[in-house]
Structure formats: structure tokens, C-alpha cells
Amino acid sequence: MNSHSFIDYQELDHQYYLPVFKRLPLTLVRGRGSRVWDDRGNEYIDVMAGIAVNSAGHCHPHIVEAIQKQAAELIHISNFFISKPQMLLAERLARRSGMDRVFFANSGAESNEGAIKIARKYAHHHKRGGDIISFTGSFHGRTMATIATGKKKMQEGFEPIPKGFRQVEFNNLEALRNAIDPDVAAIIIEPVQGEGGIHLADPSFMRALREICDEKNIVLIFDEIQCGMGRTGYFFTKEYFGVEPDILTAAKALGGGVPIGAILTNEKVAGTLEAGDHGTTFGGNPLVTAAALATIEVIDQEDLMATAWEKGEWLKQQIQQNKTKPYGIREVRGLGLMVGIEFEFETKPLMQKMLEKGVLANATAENVLRLVPPLNIPYEDLERTLEVMYESIKEIRSI
């Protein structure tokens, strides 16, 4: 064990780190598959997966090997030069997505910022305004532009908020049509809302979005940062809806745990960009793109998309069977292993109690428990997760 005790790490956090996280009282030191261990040797089942990041599990041997090999050869060169893993990953993502062009960033928020910027360049080229429409319940990041697309609560204290952003009700086609005018450059949507509580877009709504954007020459952006990379049972969730965006953003699970984001565009939108219109120092460096290539290989070789779908259906079915029991479950929803359980009560106490019993889950949207485990999590870990959830509910509600 490190010379610092568990309490020392908490003190260091309180003393030196910006107080922007409500951290759980754990110092994690090791992970393998769907399990993690803290600095006191306690073991936990992880159904949070770094917030839908570790889709191949913690420290997957193939991804670890790829990172180690690349780190010994070439870590960073800047984008003044070409690197092999960056080009191979760009080709892989373009072919898998059906999109034409790729740009690499460092995070999901940065990818969405870039998508907004690219959409505005296209709109201005076609004499449209630069307004961006987003939807209630959405979450696209915590930068200034991305909080402008989201909840008012996240904007408080950061005024003036950037202008040129509008929000309409999720899945409300009439409200969307009423918001469209020549000043609208783009519409951005999560096919499955994550932070908002695991809400799926209606398929007919998604098709109507595409039709409206085609009719008005508006850029359609799919934010697949959380729902992409196999989590829903599809490489990208656009495949489930059968709708093609003009821009798609990815991050989270793309790098298997290392920070990387991606902006994928069609040629129509990419064609308005010129050298110098966008850039990044770190984005898509050899180390992170090698990790992402290895992550995609794991997803394919272990058939994790099919696994995600099968386990997600099993998980929802198991929870659905207990809806009639006095656990306070209102609804279970999701796609693949992106599952939200809505309760009649706030879920933070439930999350805390589950942690005490050795399961790391996530509370979001006030009363939703979000389950986004590694896609290769064993069934026994999912079974234990449900056992702990029900035990915890009984304790916190005195059932």
C-alpha cells in the first residue's frame, strides 16, 4: 500500500483540487474487467464503468498491450505530421460509420464544440444564421458553448452565456417545427439521453429531424458520446434508428479509458472547411489512437455489441419482473447496456448504500439509477448488482 493512507488522499483532494466534484469516499487503485479495488483492498463490482467509458472492462490486456507498445515507440508529435495509428483509426471510423471525414479531439465536450463550429461554418457558407437547437434533458458537455445547449442550472453563475442557442422539448415535433427559421444552423441531439435519465428519442421523431434538416439545409448533429461504440448493441446508435446525421460526435468508450474524442462528418459539411478553420495540439496523438484501435478490435473480436444487446435485454427483463413489488420502481428503459431505472424517490442515497455493499452505480436526473457497465461484465456480476440494489432499497426505505 502507498505510504499515504486513505484519509490522506481525501485531505489532498480537499486541499488542492478544485471543489467541483461531489466525490464518493473511495480511492481506487486497481481495476480488472468489471471489478475495481480501493487502497484498503476492498473489491467492488463496477456498473458505472467510468461513466460509460470502460466498455471493454478495466485494463483489458489487448488495450494495455497496445498502449505499452505505442508508448515505447511514439507518444506525441502534434498534427503538423501524420501518424500511422491516427490515419488507421480515421479510416476505421469512417468505414464503420459511413461518414466521410474524421477529426480527433480530447473529450466529448470538445468534440461537440467542434461540431457546433463546423455546423456554423457550413451554415454561413449557405447564408443561414448560426443558431443551434438542442433539447430539454440534453447534456453535451461543460464548456461555455455546450452548457449553452443544456440545463439552466448548469448555466447559473457563468453568465453571460454565449448567444445563438435555443432549446425545445425532447421528442416534440410541433415545438421543433415552430422553432425553425433561417437563423438555425444546426440541430444537436443525443439519440439516447444519458445524463438526462436514459431517454430514447422516438424513431419517428428522428426520421422527421432528418427530413426537416434536408428541407431547410440545416446540419443534423448526433451526439453519440455516451451511446456510441457498441454500448446500445450497435456500433453507433444511428443504426438502430436508421437515420444518418451530417455530423456525429464520439468519445467516452472510444479510447478504452484514455481521453479521445472524434468528430465524424459527411463530405457535404466537410467541404466548406479550409486549412486553419480548426485544430488541436493533443487531439488524436499516436498513443490515444493506438488505444482506440485496440478498443475497436476488442469490441469486434469479443462480439461485444451482441453481448451488450443480450445482457441489456436480460437486465431490463429482470428489473421489469419486480416492478410490481414494493421497490418504488416506476420504469426501466434503455437500449443495450445503457439502462436507466426510474424510482419514486431520489437515487443518491441508493447509490451510496450500494457502494457500501460493494457495487458502484450512478444516480442521475434526481430519481434515476444509471447502469452502464463494461459490455463484457459477467452475468453473475449483473445478478449480484440487482441483489445489492434490492437489498439497499429495503434498507433505505425500511421495507
Side-chain angles (χ1 to χ4, degrees), residues 230-298:
R231 175 153 296 280
T232 61
Y234 297 84
F235 194 80
F236 288 119
T237 308
K238 70 184 182 71
E239 299 162 27
Y240 170 78
F241 291 97
V243 177
E244 294 296 322
D246 299 300
I247 302 176
L248 183 148
T249 56
K252 286 194 180 289
L254 175 57
V258 301
I260 180 172
I263 307 166
L264 287 64
T265 79
N266 59 25
E267 195 63 48
K268 179 184 78 172
V269 171
T272 60
L273 296 173
E274 301 172 358
D277 277 348
H278 200 50
T280 174
T281 297
F282 292 107
N285 74 26
L287 186 69
V288 299
T289 48
L293 280 167
T295 301
I296 294 172
E297 288 167 1
V298 171

Coordinates of all heavy atoms in Angstrom, one line a residue, residues 230-298:
G230 N -20.8 0.7 -29.5 CA -21.3 -0.6 -29.1 C -22.2 -0.7 -27.9 O -22.8 -1.8 -27.7
R231 N -22.3 0.4 -27.1 CA -23.0 0.3 -25.9 C -24.4 -0.1 -26.0 O -25.0 -0.9 -25.2 CB -22.9 1.6 -25.1 CG -23.7 1.6 -23.8 CD -23.2 2.5 -22.7 NE -21.9 2.1 -22.3 CZ -21.6 1.1 -21.4 NH1 -22.6 0.4 -20.9 NH2 -20.4 0.8 -21.0
T232 N -25.1 0.4 -27.0 CA -26.5 0.1 -27.2 C -26.8 -1.2 -28.0 O -27.9 -1.5 -28.3 CB -27.2 1.3 -27.9 OG1 -26.6 1.5 -29.2 CG2 -27.1 2.5 -27.1
G233 N -25.7 -1.9 -28.4 CA -25.9 -3.1 -29.2 C -25.6 -2.8 -30.7 O -25.6 -3.7 -31.5
Y234 N -25.3 -1.5 -31.0 CA -24.9 -1.1 -32.3 C -23.6 -0.3 -32.2 O -23.4 0.4 -31.2 CB -26.0 -0.1 -32.9 CG -27.3 -0.8 -33.1 CD1 -28.2 -1.0 -32.0 CD2 -27.7 -1.4 -34.3 CE1 -29.5 -1.6 -32.2 CE2 -28.9 -2.0 -34.5 CZ -29.8 -2.1 -33.4 OH -31.0 -2.8 -33.6
F235 N -22.8 -0.4 -33.3 CA -21.5 0.4 -33.2 C -21.8 1.9 -32.9 O -21.3 2.5 -32.0 CB -20.7 0.2 -34.5 CG -19.3 0.6 -34.3 CD1 -18.4 -0.2 -33.7 CD2 -18.9 1.9 -34.8 CE1 -17.0 0.2 -33.6 CE2 -17.6 2.3 -34.7 CZ -16.6 1.4 -34.0
F236 N -22.7 2.4 -33.7 CA -23.3 3.7 -33.5 C -24.8 3.6 -33.4 O -25.4 2.9 -34.2 CB -22.9 4.8 -34.5 CG -21.4 5.2 -34.4 CD1 -20.5 5.0 -35.4 CD2 -20.9 5.8 -33.2 CE1 -19.2 5.4 -35.3 CE2 -19.6 6.2 -33.1 CZ -18.7 6.0 -34.1
T237 N -25.5 4.3 -32.5 CA -26.9 4.1 -32.3 C -27.7 4.6 -33.4 O -28.9 4.3 -33.6 CB -27.3 4.8 -31.0 OG1 -26.4 4.3 -29.9 CG2 -28.7 4.4 -30.6
K238 N -27.1 5.4 -34.3 CA -27.9 5.9 -35.5 C -28.3 4.7 -36.3 O -29.4 4.7 -37.0 CB -27.0 6.8 -36.4 CG -25.8 6.1 -37.1 CD -24.9 7.1 -37.8 CE -23.8 6.4 -38.6 NZ -24.2 5.6 -39.7
E239 N -27.6 3.5 -36.2 CA -28.0 2.3 -36.9 C -29.4 1.8 -36.4 O -30.1 1.2 -37.2 CB -26.9 1.3 -36.8 CG -25.6 1.7 -37.3 CD -24.4 0.8 -36.8 OE1 -24.7 -0.4 -36.4 OE2 -23.3 1.3 -36.7
Y240 N -29.6 1.9 -35.1 CA -30.9 1.5 -34.6 C -32.0 2.3 -35.2 O -33.1 1.7 -35.5 CB -30.8 1.6 -33.1 CG -32.2 1.4 -32.4 CD1 -32.7 0.2 -32.1 CD2 -32.9 2.6 -32.0 CE1 -33.9 0.0 -31.5 CE2 -34.2 2.4 -31.3 CZ -34.7 1.1 -31.1 OH -35.9 1.0 -30.5
F241 N -31.8 3.6 -35.4 CA -32.9 4.5 -35.9 C -32.9 4.5 -37.4 O -33.9 4.9 -37.9 CB -32.6 5.9 -35.3 CG -32.8 6.0 -33.9 CD1 -31.8 6.0 -33.0 CD2 -34.1 6.2 -33.3 CE1 -31.9 6.1 -31.6 CE2 -34.3 6.3 -31.9 CZ -33.2 6.3 -31.1
G242 N -31.9 4.1 -38.0 CA -31.8 4.1 -39.5 C -31.8 5.5 -40.0 O -32.4 5.8 -41.1
V243 N -31.2 6.4 -39.3 CA -31.1 7.8 -39.7 C -29.7 8.3 -39.7 O -28.9 8.0 -38.8 CB -31.9 8.7 -38.7 CG1 -31.8 10.2 -39.1 CG2 -33.4 8.3 -38.7
E244 N -29.3 9.0 -40.8 CA -27.9 9.4 -40.9 C -27.8 10.9 -40.6 O -28.5 11.7 -41.1 CB -27.4 9.2 -42.4 CG -27.3 7.7 -42.8 CD -26.3 7.0 -42.0 OE1 -25.2 7.5 -41.7 OE2 -26.6 5.8 -41.6
P245 N -26.9 11.2 -39.7 CA -26.6 12.6 -39.4 C -25.6 13.2 -40.4 O -25.0 12.5 -41.2 CB -26.0 12.6 -38.0 CG -25.2 11.3 -38.0 CD -26.0 10.3 -38.8
D246 N -25.5 14.5 -40.3 CA -24.4 15.2 -41.1 C -23.1 15.2 -40.3 O -22.0 15.2 -40.9 CB -24.8 16.6 -41.4 CG -26.1 16.7 -42.2 OD1 -26.1 16.1 -43.3 OD2 -27.1 17.3 -41.8
I247 N -23.2 15.3 -38.9 CA -22.1 15.2 -38.1 C -22.4 14.3 -36.9 O -23.5 14.3 -36.4 CB -21.7 16.6 -37.5 CG1 -21.4 17.6 -38.6 CG2 -20.5 16.5 -36.5 CD1 -21.2 19.0 -38.1
L248 N -21.4 13.4 -36.5 CA -21.6 12.6 -35.4 C -20.4 12.7 -34.5 O -19.3 12.8 -34.9 CB -21.7 11.1 -35.8 CG -22.0 10.0 -34.8 CD1 -22.8 8.9 -35.4 CD2 -20.7 9.5 -34.2
T249 N -20.7 12.9 -33.2 CA -19.6 13.0 -32.2 C -19.5 11.7 -31.4 O -20.5 11.1 -31.0 CB -19.7 14.2 -31.3 OG1 -21.0 14.2 -30.6 CG2 -19.6 15.5 -32.1
A250 N -18.2 11.4 -31.0 CA -17.9 10.2 -30.2 C -16.8 10.5 -29.2 O -16.1 11.5 -29.5 CB -17.5 9.0 -31.1
A251 N -16.8 9.8 -28.1 CA -15.7 10.0 -27.1 C -15.9 8.8 -26.2 O -16.0 7.7 -26.6 CB -15.8 11.3 -26.4
K252 N -15.8 9.1 -24.9 CA -16.0 8.1 -23.8 C -15.4 6.7 -24.1 O -14.2 6.6 -24.0 CB -17.5 8.0 -23.4 CG -18.0 9.2 -22.6 CD -19.3 8.9 -22.0 CE -19.8 10.1 -21.2 NZ -19.1 10.3 -19.9
A253 N -16.2 5.8 -24.6 CA -15.6 4.4 -24.8 C -14.7 4.3 -26.0 O -14.0 3.2 -26.1 CB -16.8 3.4 -25.0
L254 N -14.5 5.3 -26.8 CA -13.7 5.2 -28.0 C -12.3 4.8 -27.6 O -11.7 4.0 -28.4 CB -13.7 6.6 -28.7 CG -12.8 6.7 -29.9 CD1 -13.1 5.7 -31.0 CD2 -13.0 8.1 -30.5
G255 N -11.7 5.3 -26.5 CA -10.3 5.1 -26.2 C -10.1 4.0 -25.2 O -8.9 3.8 -24.8
G256 N -11.1 3.3 -24.8 CA -10.9 2.2 -23.8 C -10.4 2.7 -22.4 O -9.9 2.0 -21.6
G257 N -10.6 4.0 -22.2 CA -10.1 4.6 -20.9 C -9.2 5.8 -21.1 O -9.0 6.6 -20.1
V258 N -8.6 6.0 -22.2 CA -7.7 7.1 -22.5 C -8.6 8.2 -23.1 O -9.5 8.0 -23.8 CB -6.5 6.8 -23.3 CG1 -5.6 5.7 -22.7 CG2 -6.9 6.4 -24.8
P259 N -8.2 9.5 -22.9 CA -9.0 10.6 -23.4 C -8.9 10.9 -24.9 O -7.8 11.3 -25.4 CB -8.5 11.8 -22.6 CG -7.1 11.5 -22.2 CD -7.1 10.0 -22.1
I260 N -10.0 10.6 -25.6 CA -10.0 10.9 -27.0 C -11.5 11.1 -27.4 O -12.4 10.5 -26.9 CB -9.5 9.7 -27.9 CG1 -9.5 10.0 -29.4 CG2 -10.1 8.4 -27.5 CD1 -8.8 9.0 -30.2
G261 N -11.7 12.1 -28.3 CA -13.0 12.4 -28.9 C -12.9 12.4 -30.4 O -11.8 12.5 -30.9
A262 N -14.0 12.3 -31.1 CA -14.0 12.3 -32.5 C -15.2 13.1 -33.1 O -16.3 13.0 -32.5 CB -13.9 10.9 -33.1
I263 N -14.9 13.8 -34.2 CA -16.0 14.4 -34.9 C -16.0 13.8 -36.3 O -15.0 13.8 -37.0 CB -15.7 15.9 -35.1 CG1 -15.5 16.6 -33.7 CG2 -16.9 16.6 -35.8 CD1 -14.9 18.0 -33.8
L264 N -17.1 13.1 -36.6 CA -17.3 12.5 -37.9 C -18.3 13.3 -38.8 O -19.3 13.7 -38.3 CB -17.8 11.1 -37.8 CG -16.8 10.0 -37.2 CD1 -16.4 10.3 -35.8 CD2 -17.5 8.6 -37.3
T265 N -17.9 13.6 -40.0 CA -18.8 14.4 -40.8 C -19.0 13.8 -42.2 O -18.1 13.0 -42.7 CB -18.3 15.8 -41.0 OG1 -17.2 15.8 -42.0 CG2 -17.7 16.4 -39.7
N266 N -20.1 14.2 -42.9 CA -20.2 13.8 -44.3 C -19.4 14.8 -45.1 O -19.0 15.9 -44.7 CB -21.6 13.7 -44.7 CG -22.5 15.0 -44.5 OD1 -21.9 16.1 -44.5 ND2 -23.8 14.8 -44.4
E267 N -19.3 14.5 -46.4 CA -18.5 15.4 -47.3 C -19.2 16.7 -47.5 O -18.5 17.7 -47.7 CB -18.2 14.7 -48.6 CG -17.1 15.3 -49.5 CD -15.8 15.3 -48.8 OE1 -15.3 14.3 -48.3 OE2 -15.1 16.4 -48.8
K268 N -20.5 16.7 -47.5 CA -21.3 17.9 -47.7 C -20.9 19.0 -46.7 O -20.6 20.1 -47.1 CB -22.8 17.6 -47.6 CG -23.7 18.8 -47.7 CD -25.1 18.5 -47.5 CE -25.4 18.4 -46.0 NZ -26.9 18.2 -45.7
V269 N -20.8 18.6 -45.5 CA -20.4 19.6 -44.4 C -18.9 19.9 -44.4 O -18.5 21.0 -44.3 CB -20.9 19.1 -43.0 CG1 -20.3 20.0 -41.9 CG2 -22.4 19.0 -43.0
A270 N -18.1 18.8 -44.6 CA -16.7 19.0 -44.6 C -16.2 19.9 -45.7 O -15.1 20.5 -45.6 CB -16.0 17.6 -44.6
G271 N -16.9 19.9 -46.8 CA -16.5 20.6 -48.0 C -16.4 22.1 -47.8 O -15.7 22.8 -48.6
T272 N -16.9 22.7 -46.7 CA -16.9 24.1 -46.5 C -15.7 24.5 -45.7 O -15.4 25.7 -45.5 CB -18.1 24.6 -45.9 OG1 -18.3 24.0 -44.6 CG2 -19.4 24.4 -46.7
L273 N -14.9 23.5 -45.2 CA -13.8 23.8 -44.3 C -12.5 24.0 -45.1 O -12.3 23.4 -46.1 CB -13.6 22.7 -43.3 CG -14.7 22.4 -42.3 CD1 -14.5 21.2 -41.5 CD2 -14.9 23.6 -41.4
E274 N -11.6 24.9 -44.5 CA -10.3 25.1 -45.1 C -9.2 25.0 -44.1 O -9.5 25.0 -42.9 CB -10.3 26.6 -45.7 CG -11.4 26.9 -46.7 CD -11.4 28.4 -47.1 OE1 -10.6 29.1 -46.5 OE2 -12.2 28.7 -47.9
A275 N -8.0 24.9 -44.5 CA -6.9 24.8 -43.6 C -6.9 25.9 -42.6 O -7.0 27.1 -43.1 CB -5.6 24.7 -44.4
G276 N -6.8 25.7 -41.3 CA -6.8 26.7 -40.3 C -8.1 26.9 -39.7 O -8.2 27.7 -38.7
D277 N -9.2 26.3 -40.2 CA -10.5 26.6 -39.6 C -10.7 25.9 -38.3 O -11.5 26.3 -37.5 CB -11.6 26.0 -40.6 CG -11.9 27.0 -41.7 OD1 -11.5 28.2 -41.6 OD2 -12.6 26.6 -42.6
H278 N -9.9 24.8 -38.0 CA -10.0 24.2 -36.7 C -8.7 23.5 -36.5 O -7.8 23.3 -37.4 CB -11.1 23.1 -36.7 CG -11.6 22.7 -35.4 ND1 -11.9 23.7 -34.4 CD2 -11.8 21.5 -34.8 CE1 -12.3 23.0 -33.3 NE2 -12.2 21.7 -33.5
G279 N -8.4 23.1 -35.2 CA -7.1 22.5 -34.9 C -7.1 22.0 -33.5 O -8.0 22.2 -32.7
T280 N -6.0 21.3 -33.1 CA -5.8 20.8 -31.8 C -4.3 20.4 -31.6 O -3.7 20.0 -32.6 CB -6.7 19.6 -31.5 OG1 -6.3 19.0 -30.2 CG2 -6.5 18.5 -32.6
T281 N -3.8 20.6 -30.4 CA -2.4 20.1 -30.2 C -2.4 18.7 -29.9 O -1.6 17.9 -30.5 CB -1.8 20.9 -29.0 OG1 -1.8 22.3 -29.3 CG2 -0.4 20.4 -28.7
F282 N -3.1 18.2 -28.9 CA -3.1 16.8 -28.5 C -4.0 15.9 -29.2 O -3.8 14.7 -29.3 CB -3.4 16.7 -27.0 CG -2.4 17.3 -26.1 CD1 -2.7 18.6 -25.5 CD2 -1.2 16.8 -25.9 CE1 -1.7 19.1 -24.6 CE2 -0.2 17.3 -25.1 CZ -0.5 18.5 -24.4
G283 N -5.1 16.4 -29.8 CA -6.1 15.5 -30.4 C -5.6 14.5 -31.3 O -4.9 14.8 -32.3
G284 N -5.9 13.2 -31.1 CA -5.6 12.1 -32.0 C -4.1 11.8 -32.0 O -3.6 11.4 -33.1
N285 N -3.4 12.0 -30.9 CA -2.0 11.7 -31.0 C -1.8 10.2 -31.1 O -2.7 9.4 -30.9 CB -1.2 12.3 -29.8 CG -1.4 11.7 -28.5 OD1 -1.7 10.5 -28.4 ND2 -1.3 12.4 -27.4
P286 N -0.5 9.7 -31.4 CA -0.3 8.3 -31.6 C -0.8 7.4 -30.4 O -1.3 6.3 -30.7 CB 1.2 8.2 -31.8 CG 1.6 9.5 -32.4 CD 0.7 10.5 -31.7
L287 N -0.5 7.8 -29.2 CA -0.9 7.0 -28.1 C -2.4 6.7 -27.9 O -2.8 5.6 -27.8 CB -0.4 7.6 -26.8 CG -0.5 6.8 -25.5 CD1 0.4 5.6 -25.6 CD2 -0.3 7.6 -24.2
V288 N -3.2 7.8 -28.0 CA -4.6 7.6 -27.8 C -5.3 6.9 -29.0 O -6.2 6.1 -28.8 CB -5.3 8.9 -27.5 CG1 -4.8 9.5 -26.2 CG2 -5.2 9.9 -28.6
T289 N -4.8 7.1 -30.2 CA -5.4 6.5 -31.4 C -5.0 5.0 -31.4 O -5.8 4.2 -31.9 CB -5.0 7.2 -32.7 OG1 -3.6 7.4 -32.7 CG2 -5.7 8.5 -32.8
A290 N -3.8 4.7 -30.9 CA -3.5 3.2 -30.8 C -4.4 2.5 -29.8 O -4.8 1.4 -30.1 CB -2.0 3.1 -30.4
A291 N -4.7 3.2 -28.7 CA -5.6 2.6 -27.7 C -7.0 2.5 -28.3 O -7.7 1.5 -28.1 CB -5.6 3.5 -26.5
A292 N -7.4 3.5 -29.1 CA -8.8 3.4 -29.7 C -8.9 2.2 -30.7 O -9.9 1.5 -30.8 CB -9.1 4.7 -30.3
L293 N -7.8 2.1 -31.5 CA -7.8 1.0 -32.5 C -7.9 -0.4 -31.8 O -8.7 -1.3 -32.2 CB -6.5 1.0 -33.3 CG -6.5 2.0 -34.5 CD1 -5.0 2.2 -35.0 CD2 -7.4 1.6 -35.6
A294 N -7.2 -0.5 -30.7 CA -7.2 -1.7 -29.9 C -8.6 -2.0 -29.3 O -9.1 -3.1 -29.2 CB -6.2 -1.7 -28.8
T295 N -9.2 -0.9 -28.8 CA -10.6 -1.0 -28.2 C -11.6 -1.5 -29.3 O -12.4 -2.3 -29.0 CB -11.0 0.4 -27.7 OG1 -10.1 0.9 -26.7 CG2 -12.4 0.4 -27.1
I296 N -11.5 -0.9 -30.5 CA -12.4 -1.4 -31.5 C -12.2 -2.9 -31.9 O -13.1 -3.6 -32.1 CB -12.3 -0.5 -32.8 CG1 -12.7 0.9 -32.5 CG2 -13.1 -1.1 -34.0 CD1 -12.4 1.9 -33.6
E297 N -10.9 -3.3 -31.8 CA -10.6 -4.7 -32.1 C -11.2 -5.6 -31.0 O -11.8 -6.6 -31.3 CB -9.1 -4.9 -32.1 CG -8.4 -4.3 -33.4 CD -6.9 -4.2 -33.3 OE1 -6.4 -4.6 -32.2 OE2 -6.3 -3.7 -34.3
V298 N -11.2 -5.1 -29.8 CA -11.8 -5.9 -28.7 C -13.3 -6.0 -28.9 O -13.9 -7.1 -28.7 CB -11.5 -5.3 -27.3 CG1 -12.3 -6.0 -26.2 CG2 -10.0 -5.5 -27.0

